[in-house]
Amino acid sequence: MKTFRLIGMALLAVVMSVNFTSCSDDDEPSKNDDGVITNQKQLVELRMTYEDGESVITEYSYDSKGKLLSANHDGRTYSITWGANKIIESRGGSAVTYTLENGLVTHTSDSDGGDLDNIDFTYNANNQLVKLQTGEDYLSCIWQGEKLTKMIESYSDEDFYELSYSGKICKGYLPIMVWNVDDLRPLLEAHPELVGMRCNQLPDKIYSKDEYNEETELYSYTFDKDGYLESCTEVSTYKRLDNNETRTETTIYTFTWE
């Protein structure tokens, strides 16, 4: 599975094949004053299962207004504190502060310090994320309608990630798409709308390349009776460009909604 933290990152995306469910006008996401979607199911568990059978589970708990209060990731507990245009996600002795404007995150800062822990967010007129910037380095996100189609790193046009689609969609959103912003952030997994990444358009393939490697990721999905994503199987093929060595890995993701 691919994740990246803006610098030296690797894109993760996920896809589905088989049937898909279209959303009616009544199913259009509706936000409350905190910028949180309130009229769709909530993600309560995300399970990752690797080829060796090992599983990593994240569980999510919400308040009566649908805002994430806490999450447990593989035995580590995260607590979420909501304030006026600010959200703090804490674990142990460290914390990430999210600064918001008009329901969207504009900046994150990490108590651990470091350049990569201070990130600025830029959006287009449709409130979709178009740039992540830390210092002089940034990542550009290109959209075609509701589809994220390409991501390019500022320091090299040859380091890119391309997403291919064939019209598949789901009810709700794709939880792990937000890992394109940052990994292991339960707040964003539960509320990707806060960073313009609540995506129900599902790519079929991702191709990525840098100076040393290229990778192709293919995915297949299943759905629950309401059209929300139930499971995803990701098959990733990695290739080293210096010696053409290749390897393939499979990861299964399971989602539970309430």
Side-chain angles (χ1 to χ4, degrees):
M1 175 52 62
K2 292 297 194 180
T3 63
F4 63 76
R5 300 193 55 167
L6 184 61
I7 306 302
M9 53 212 153
L11 176 69
L12 159 65
V14 62
V15 303
M16 92 181 147
S17 58
V18 305
N19 298 328
F20 62 92
T21 302
S22 298
C23 298
S24 67
D25 291 339
D26 292 337
D27 294 328
E28 288 299 314
S30 176
K31 290 185 178 181
N32 64 13
D33 293 339
D34 295 304
V36 169
I37 300 299
T38 58
N39 64 335
Q40 294 186 342
K41 287 185 177 182
Q42 297 169 329
L43 180 69
V44 295
E45 182 182 283
L46 191 162
R47 179 187 299 261
M48 302 171 57
T49 303
Y50 301 100
E51 283 186 327
D52 61 3
E54 180 184 358
S55 292
V56 176
I57 301 172
T58 305
E59 298 174 312
Y60 309 82
S61 298
Y62 302 81
D63 67 11
S64 60
K65 296 182 179 180
K67 297 186 297 185
L68 185 69
L69 284 182
S70 64
N72 187 288
H73 171 78
D74 197 28
R76 292 173 289 180
T77 299
Y78 293 76
S79 298
I80 314 299
T81 303
W82 296 74
N85 294 321
K86 183 177 293 186
I87 303 172
I88 299 175
E89 179 182 77
S90 57
R91 177 180 66 85
S94 64
V96 176
T97 299
Y98 301 82
T99 302
L100 293 89
E101 183 177 335
N102 298 322
L104 292 171
V105 173
T106 58
H107 181 78
T108 62
S109 58
D110 196 317
S111 63
D112 290 339
D115 292 340
L116 295 184
D117 295 323
N118 289 276
I119 302 175
D120 293 312
F121 297 68
T122 304
Y123 304 90
N124 61 20
N126 296 320
N127 292 333
Q128 296 166 324
L129 183 67
V130 294
K131 181 188 276 189
L132 292 172
Q133 183 156 2
T134 178
E136 296 181 354
D137 296 303
Y138 62 86
L139 178 79
S140 297
C141 304
I142 299 172
W143 298 78
Q144 293 183 2
E146 297 300 314
K147 300 172 183 176
L148 175 64
T149 58
K150 193 169 185 178
M151 307 183 82
I152 305 172
E153 297 181 19
S154 60
Y155 52 82
S156 174
D157 290 340
E158 296 182 357
D159 291 2
F160 63 87
Y161 316 89
E162 291 182 335
L163 293 76
S164 302
Y165 298 80
S166 61
K168 301 179 180 70
I169 63 174
C170 67
K171 182 71 176 294
Y173 65 95
L174 177 62
I176 58 179
M177 181 69 86
V178 78
W179 289 351
N180 296 323
V181 176
D182 205 351
D183 61 304
L184 291 183
R185 299 300 186 198
L187 173 67
L188 302 185
E189 294 163 6
H191 301 300
E193 61 270 19
L194 297 178
V195 288
M197 293 292 293
R198 190 179 178 100
C199 303
N200 70 344
Q201 300 284 337
L202 303 174
D204 297 289
K205 181 176 74 172
I206 289 184
Y207 173 76
S208 59
K209 184 179 180 181
D210 59 29
E211 181 179 357
Y212 305 102
N213 305 282
E214 65 179 6
E215 180 179 356
T216 300
E217 297 172 308
L218 302 175
Y219 306 80
S220 60
Y221 273 68
T222 65
F223 303 82
D224 67 17
K225 60 183 178 61
D226 296 318
Y228 289 82
L229 292 175
E230 187 174 61
S231 70
C232 159
T233 300
E234 175 195 72
V235 180
S236 300
T237 300
Y238 305 86
K239 180 180 179 181
R240 286 188 57 86
L241 298 178
D242 56 353
N243 59 12
N244 290 326
E245 179 183 351
T246 62
R247 60 185 174 89
T248 299
E249 296 180 356
T250 300
T251 306
I252 298 174
Y253 301 87
T254 305
F255 311 103
T256 303
W257 309 83
E258 290 182 359

